[in-house]
Amino acid sequence: QPECLEYNGIILNPVAGTLAANGQERELTRTELKIMYYLFQHAGQIVPRLELVEYLWDNAVFLDDNALSIHVTRIRGKLEELGLSDFIRTKRGMGYMI
């Protein structure tokens, strides 16, 4: 089982499915957890949207490109509740990075 991952004071607990910072934590959905886990694994690097989509929905014949944006928006909302507004950065035309 993967252990907790930490980046810039934010702790991702893959087993519990939570993000924690500033003494608080928020639960993540399974898809949100997978997105954060992948971003933590590639911290400091730009992760292309297509790479994330393939990781999340392997072999999906059709997937609305907007689905990833919706999940990232929800994660950002949870991060803001933890007092973190710019943790996930969008690199226009390239992807996301933490």
Side-chain angles (χ1 to χ4, degrees):
Q1 292 240 345
E3 295 181 19
C4 291
L5 302 172
E6 196 238 333
Y7 184 72
N8 283 357
I10 295 146
I11 299 163
L12 178 69
N13 184 332
V15 176
T18 59
L19 264 180
N22 303 321
Q24 301 179 64
E25 72 175 27
R26 292 293 178 271
E27 286 189 15
L28 300 173
T29 66
R30 198 176 99 208
T31 302
E32 291 168 353
L33 177 61
K34 284 181 79 174
I35 291 168
M36 290 307 296
Y37 186 78
Y38 201 78
L39 290 174
F40 268 76
Q41 291 290 314
H42 298 85
Q45 304 169 30
I46 297 170
V47 176
R49 286 179 59 87
L50 183 59
E51 191 177 310
L52 256 178
V53 167
E54 288 174 353
Y55 172 73
L56 293 168
W57 297 288
D58 193 36
N59 298 324
V61 177
F62 172 77
L63 179 78
D64 181 2
D65 184 55
N66 201 30
L68 178 59
S69 298
I70 291 166
H71 287 292
V72 170
T73 299
R74 288 182 184 151
I75 295 168
R76 283 182 169 144
K78 292 177 182 185
L79 286 164
E80 282 194 23
E81 291 173 10
L82 295 173
L84 308 160
S85 55
D86 291 326
F87 187 67
I88 299 175
R89 294 190 304 276
T90 301
K91 296 295 182 181
R92 239 179 242 300
M94 293 187 276
Y96 299 107
M97 75 179 292
I98 63 169

